[in-house]
Amino acid sequence: MVSKEDIERLLNPHLTRLLQVAEVGMPSSQFQAYRKFALDELGNNGFGKELEKLLGSKTARHGTGRNTLRKEGGAS
Protein backbone atom coordinates (compact mmCIF):
# COMPACT_ATOMS: atom_id res chain seq x y z
CA MET A 1 0.00 0.00 0.00
CA VAL A 2 1.18 3.49 -0.80
CA SER A 3 1.50 5.79 2.20
CA LYS A 4 1.36 9.56 2.54
CA GLU A 5 5.08 9.51 3.34
CA ASP A 6 5.83 7.62 0.11
CA ILE A 7 4.00 10.22 -1.95
CA GLU A 8 5.63 13.13 -0.09
CA ARG A 9 9.06 11.55 -0.61
CA LEU A 10 8.39 11.56 -4.38
CA LEU A 11 6.88 15.07 -4.39
CA ASN A 12 9.56 16.87 -2.35
CA PRO A 13 12.38 16.80 -4.94
CA HIS A 14 10.03 18.27 -7.53
CA LEU A 15 8.94 21.01 -5.12
CA THR A 16 12.59 21.77 -4.35
CA ARG A 17 13.35 22.10 -8.07
CA LEU A 18 10.37 24.41 -8.63
CA LEU A 19 11.53 26.63 -5.77
CA GLN A 20 15.10 26.72 -7.10
CA VAL A 21 13.92 27.81 -10.55
CA ALA A 22 11.63 30.45 -9.05
CA GLU A 23 14.43 31.79 -6.86
CA VAL A 24 16.64 32.35 -9.91
CA GLY A 25 13.89 34.13 -11.84
CA MET A 26 12.35 36.38 -9.17
CA PRO A 27 13.44 39.25 -6.99
CA SER A 28 13.96 38.20 -3.37
CA SER A 29 10.71 39.68 -2.01
CA GLN A 30 8.62 38.05 -4.73
CA PHE A 31 10.38 34.73 -4.23
CA GLN A 32 9.66 34.73 -0.49
CA ALA A 33 5.95 35.26 -1.19
CA TYR A 34 5.95 32.55 -3.88
CA ARG A 35 7.84 30.13 -1.60
CA LYS A 36 5.29 30.61 1.18
CA PHE A 37 2.43 30.08 -1.26
CA ALA A 38 3.99 26.96 -2.82
CA LEU A 39 4.78 25.37 0.56
CA ASP A 40 1.27 26.14 1.86
CA GLU A 41 -0.34 24.64 -1.24
CA LEU A 42 1.82 21.53 -1.49
CA GLY A 43 2.51 21.02 2.22
CA ASN A 44 0.36 20.06 5.19
CA ASN A 45 -2.08 22.96 4.75
CA GLY A 46 -3.07 22.05 1.18
CA PHE A 47 -2.10 18.92 -0.70
CA GLY A 48 -0.99 17.08 2.45
CA LYS A 49 -4.38 17.55 4.08
CA GLU A 50 -6.21 16.38 0.96
CA LEU A 51 -3.85 13.42 0.68
CA GLU A 52 -4.58 12.39 4.27
CA LYS A 53 -8.32 12.48 3.56
CA LEU A 54 -7.87 10.45 0.37
CA LEU A 55 -5.75 7.80 2.03
CA GLY A 56 -7.88 7.73 5.15
CA SER A 57 -4.93 8.37 7.43
CA LYS A 58 -5.76 8.77 11.09
CA THR A 59 -2.84 10.38 12.86
CA ALA A 60 -2.60 11.88 16.31
CA ARG A 61 0.16 14.16 17.50
CA HIS A 62 1.48 13.84 21.01
CA GLY A 63 3.78 16.86 21.27
CA THR A 64 6.95 14.94 20.41
CA GLY A 65 6.87 15.73 16.71
CA ARG A 66 6.11 12.12 15.85
CA ASN A 67 2.88 10.75 14.44
CA THR A 68 1.07 7.89 16.13
CA LEU A 69 -1.08 5.87 13.77
CA ARG A 70 -4.32 4.64 15.26
CA LYS A 71 -7.27 2.71 13.92
CA GLU A 72 -10.58 4.47 13.73
CA GLY A 73 -12.84 3.41 16.59
CA GLY A 74 -10.10 2.59 19.10
CA ALA A 75 -8.03 -0.49 19.76
CA SER A 76 -9.15 -3.91 18.63
Side-chain angles (χ1 to χ4, degrees), residues 19-36:
L19 291 174
Q20 288 171 340
V21 170
E23 187 174 23
V24 169
M26 294 180 180
S28 181
S29 61
Q30 285 182 333
F31 171 70
Q32 291 303 320
Y34 175 79
R35 181 180 183 277
K36 181 180 181 333

Side-chain angles (χ1 to χ4, degrees), residues 61-74:
R61 298 193 183 265
H62 295 286
T64 60
R66 289 179 265 150
N67 290 337
T68 303
L69 299 177
R70 301 184 185 257
K71 291 184 179 180
E72 188 173 1

Side-chain angles (χ1 to χ4, degrees), residues 2-74:
V2 176
S3 70
K4 178 183 176 192
E5 290 77 20
D6 293 332
I7 294 170
E8 288 174 337
R9 192 173 26 258
L10 291 174
L11 177 66
N12 285 339
H14 298 281
L15 177 58
T16 299
R17 180 126 169 104
L18 285 172
L19 291 174
Q20 288 171 340
V21 170
E23 187 174 23
V24 169
M26 294 180 180
S28 181
S29 61
Q30 285 182 333
F31 171 70
Q32 291 303 320
Y34 175 79
R35 181 180 183 277
K36 181 180 181 333
F37 175 76
L39 292 174
D40 282 347
E41 284 297 309
L42 295 174
N44 290 331
N45 293 332
F47 180 71
K49 193 178 288 186
E50 292 174 9
L51 188 57
E52 264 188 38
K53 286 180 186 175
L54 178 68
L55 296 175
S57 297
K58 301 293 181 190
T59 59
R61 298 193 183 265
H62 295 286
T64 60
R66 289 179 265 150
N67 290 337
T68 303
L69 299 177
R70 301 184 185 257
K71 291 184 179 180
E72 188 173 1

